[in-house]
Amino acid sequence: MKITLQDAADKLKAANKIVVTAHVNPDGDAIGSTIALYQILKALGKDVTIYIDDKLPKNFVTMPGAEDIKRPVEGEKISADLLVILDTAPDRVGKVIEVCDAPILNIDHHVTNNNAENFLYVDATASATCEIIFYFSKILGVELTLNMAVCLYIGMATDTGFFNYSNTKPATFKAAAELVELGVMPNLVSENLERRTAHEIKILSLALQTTKLYFGGKVAGMFVDEKLSAQSDNTEGLIDLIRVIEGVEVAFLLKFKAKKICRVSMRSKTVDVSKIAQRLGGGGHVRAAGCTIEENFDDAKKILIDAIGNYMVEVNKISQADFNSDIELALEDVEN
């Protein structure tokens, strides 16, 4: 059931032992919001633990408090009064939902989250879940520390493309300004998140060479297969390099994660990519969404291009003839 921000705050106040988690394949917002809420609840005297069922991307490992994040173990049993799921619906938190049997409070900013079985607070107008946690700190009466502020700023900055995406609102700038007043240094944050090794730059160039255009240049795709993924797991920001191609309305990155597990990120200028992601079992925002396709890499490529093309036909962005011809070319490309 959907609840208010105050209702969610009351549930946090009432619980004593709390587990905080976020989605697999965690990004800056997922990690930042979990750490910040963890630290806020600690300041209230709560017994809190963070679990995320995935490896943290390298550039986020140095986020203050990242060392407190644990990964659940198969068969482990975690007792708690409340399981707080941030930045996603419960079906994307991996083993955490299996090992922690507790009432669920779900806090998110994704419009696609329709979790009706648990207590759900969604604010689709918020730029990031970190922005919601920023408001929570005020309701809970906790004064933000510099470490909390850094985590919240990172989540807001990364989810807005450093305040360039359409989800950036006046309230986003106001919240970010308060965090900067607390001591966050935007230049240091961006330098740390954008830092790459010379080897990663070489891999980036190889990834760029996989870029293909589909449907009259309205869709751009980048492919990080098993070989490329083994050389570097850091794909943060890659999709933004093809999102800006002139004429492209939808950009996607398909990445090999494990056998029959492929991760998809999508960005858009005019198309609601959350609708495409939902059809593939994922979700997200109108202009930024993602999903996981549990198929081998080549099959995942076919499925993804087909889903994007079909939706583009439905919303009159491409013709059926363009779709048919490009799908045939895509299939030939995979088979060759």
Side-chain angles (χ1 to χ4, degrees):
M1 61 178 289
K2 289 188 177 181
I3 60 175
T4 67
L5 188 67
Q6 184 61 58
D7 291 335
D10 290 341
K11 290 190 177 299
L12 290 172
K13 289 178 182 177
N16 290 313
K17 192 170 185 179
I18 302 170
V19 169
V20 182
T21 191
H23 54 80
V24 295
N25 194 27
D27 56 10
D29 191 26
I31 301 167
S33 60
T34 54
I35 296 174
L37 183 59
Y38 165 82
Q39 293 176 350
I40 288 168
L41 294 173
K42 280 282 190 181
L44 290 173
K46 305 295 184 180
D47 181 356
V48 197
T49 312
I50 309 176
Y51 284 90
I52 293 181
D53 188 21
D54 210 338
K55 180 182 176 182
L56 301 189
K58 186 190 75 173
N59 286 22
F60 296 120
V61 170
T62 56
M63 194 182 295
E67 67 277 4
D68 294 319
I69 297 176
K70 300 180 179 181
R71 192 165 181 180
V73 178
E74 191 82 48
E76 183 180 7
K77 292 299 177 185
I78 305 166
S79 63
D81 302 325
L82 190 67
L83 171 60
V84 183
I85 296 175
L86 300 177
D87 201 41
T88 187
D91 59 353
R92 290 195 62 217
V93 300
K95 289 194 288 288
V96 178
I97 198 78
E98 301 168 8
V99 301
C100 183
D101 184 17
I104 293 174
L105 171 60
N106 192 184
I107 301 169
D108 197 4
H109 72 126
H110 294 103
V111 68
T112 53
N113 191 339
N114 294 310
N115 171 23
E117 298 177 7
N118 305 285
F119 297 109
L120 171 65
Y121 175 74
V122 172
D123 181 0
T125 68
S127 65
T129 300
C130 276
E131 186 178 330
I132 298 174
I133 302 304
F134 170 79
Y135 302 138
F136 258 123
S137 69
K138 296 181 180 296
I139 291 179
L140 293 171
V142 174
E143 187 173 336
L144 293 176
T145 65
L146 177 56
N147 282 351
M148 295 174 191
V150 168
C151 291
L152 293 177
Y153 183 90
I154 287 174
M156 292 168 58
T158 53
D159 249 31
T160 59
F162 286 88
F163 310 103
N164 284 322
Y165 297 162
S166 61
N167 60 331
T168 307
K169 303 295 194 301
T172 312
F173 285 116
K174 290 177 183 177
E178 284 196 42
L179 298 175
V180 172
E181 287 175 349
L182 288 171
V184 175
M185 301 182 72
N187 61 311
L188 295 184
V189 170
S190 61
E191 286 171 13
N192 185 60
L193 294 180
E194 293 169 355
R195 185 182 297 119
R196 293 179 184 273
T197 64
H199 173 71
E200 287 171 336
I201 292 297
K202 291 179 181 178
I203 300 304
L204 184 151
S205 69
L206 294 176
L208 278 172
Q209 291 176 44
T210 71
T211 302
K212 292 186 179 296
L213 297 178
Y214 301 94
F215 310 120
K218 293 184 179 180
V219 175
M222 184 185 290
F223 306 92
V224 179
D225 60 14
E226 183 174 4
K227 182 179 178 181
L228 273 180
S229 183
Q231 294 179 71
S232 176
D233 194 45
N234 185 10
T235 57
E236 191 69 28
L238 281 183
I239 194 170
D240 293 315
L241 299 175
I242 60 172
R243 183 183 67 88
V244 298
I245 296 174
E246 186 175 359
V248 167
E249 297 188 29
V250 174
F252 69 83
L253 171 69
L254 178 66
K255 177 185 175 183
F256 174 90
K257 181 67 177 178
K259 185 178 180 180
K260 289 205 169 185
I261 298 178
C262 298
R263 297 275 168 77
V264 177
S265 297
M266 289 182 280
R267 298 290 184 270
S268 166
K269 295 173 185 173
T270 62
V271 176
D272 185 352
V273 287
S274 72
K275 301 290 187 185
I276 303 170
Q278 280 185 298
R279 294 180 181 186
L280 297 172
H285 308 285
V286 172
R287 299 287 176 257
C291 62
T292 297
I293 300 177
E294 296 183 355
E295 297 287 349
N296 65 54
F297 196 79
D298 286 347
D299 287 340
K301 180 178 180 179
K302 297 176 188 176
I303 291 167
L304 179 58
I305 295 171
D306 183 78
I308 293 172
N310 269 303
Y311 187 74
M312 296 280 278
V313 170
E314 289 177 25
V315 296
N316 298 313
K317 291 293 183 180
I318 63 170
S319 68
Q320 187 67 53
D322 284 342
F323 170 75
N324 292 340
S325 63
D326 266 29
I327 280 297
E328 288 180 8
L329 290 172
L331 294 178
E332 288 176 10
D333 180 52
V334 171
E335 289 166 0
N336 293 330

